[in-house]
């Protein structure tokens, strides 16, 4: 029986959107306020969905305590109250857009979560803007 369990987490972080290969004028034109050199912050919500076969012995798909601890340790503690653009290694050469943040989170968790599960990451940058990534 296939089923999906979800765990939600939260982190606050600062960023700016910037392509170092472009001049200031083009960065400003493409990214607008998001290019502000003084940075700005978001309250990000991340939802991790894990899909697989239900274990009939436990009635679990995956132990949610283990999933929670994994997300806390490897994602939330890594990003919370950080400046993604200047402080987080994952974005040294990667523009910290919502899309790229979701991909980075998916890649981090893909290495930690058993391959028998499929995982999908949904990242809310604002209440109305969110992205989803499930690999590929
Ligand atoms: Ni932003």
């Amino acid at each position: 029986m296939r089923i999906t369990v979800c765990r939600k987490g939260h982190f606050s972080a600062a960023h700016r959107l910037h392509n170092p290969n472009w001049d200031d004028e083009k960065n400003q034109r493409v990214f607008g306020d998001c290019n502000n050199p003084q940075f700005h912050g978001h309250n990000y919500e991340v939802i991790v969905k894990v899909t697989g076969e239900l274990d009939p012995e436990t009635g679990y798909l995956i132990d949610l305590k283990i999933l929670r601890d994994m997300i806390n340790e490897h994602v939330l503690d890594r990003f919370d109250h950080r400046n993604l653009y200047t402080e987080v290694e994952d974005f040294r050469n990667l523009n910290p857009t919502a899309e790229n943040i979701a991909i980075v989170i998916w890649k981090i968790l893909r290495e930690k979560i058993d391959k028998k599960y499929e995982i999908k990451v949904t990242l809310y940058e604002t209440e109305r803007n969110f992205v989803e990534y499930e690999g590929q």
Side-chain angles (χ1 to χ4, degrees):
M1 205 177 296
R2 275 177 79 75
I3 197 159
T4 299
V5 302
C6 310
R7 171 77 192 177
K8 200 171 176 182
H10 173 85
F11 61 96
S12 299
H15 75 166
R16 76 182 289 219
L17 303 184
H18 183 79
N19 183 334
N21 299 320
W22 296 345
D23 63 21
D24 288 349
E25 188 277 325
K26 185 168 183 184
N27 270 293
Q28 179 60 39
R29 181 159 41 83
V30 173
F31 296 123
D33 286 347
C34 294
N35 182 241
N36 179 351
Q38 300 304 318
F39 307 102
H40 65 276
H42 294 281
N43 292 312
Y44 292 95
E45 295 284 347
V46 56
I47 297 167
V48 179
K49 292 182 181 170
V50 179
T51 301
E53 290 292 324
L54 188 66
D55 179 343
E57 289 191 330
T58 58
Y60 283 170
L61 171 71
I62 186 171
D63 187 330
L64 269 164
K65 289 190 298 297
I66 294 171
L67 182 63
R68 175 198 67 196
D69 291 347
M70 206 180 284
I71 294 168
N72 286 352
E73 179 181 349
H74 300 292
V75 177
L76 306 184
D77 291 353
R78 188 154 157 176
F79 295 164
D80 192 35
H81 285 73
R82 299 285 168 200
N83 183 324
L84 300 177
Y85 190 81
T86 60
E87 289 186 283
V88 179
E89 181 70 26
D90 305 277
F91 301 103
R92 183 159 298 227
N93 297 305
L94 188 64
N95 206 14
T97 59
E99 290 88 334
N100 279 332
I101 298 167
I103 292 167
V104 164
I105 292 171
W106 185 92
K107 285 180 176 169
I108 290 168
L109 294 175
R110 184 67 286 176
E111 288 200 354
K112 306 290 177 190
I113 295 173
D114 194 313
K115 294 289 183 289
K116 70 183 180 184
Y117 301 115
E118 290 167 20
I119 57 176
K120 177 173 174 175
V121 169
T122 305
L123 182 78
Y124 282 78
E125 191 170 71
T126 70
E127 276 182 33
R128 294 183 181 83
N129 295 343
F130 58 98
V131 303
E132 295 182 318
Y133 186 66
E134 52 190 324
Q136 296 154 26

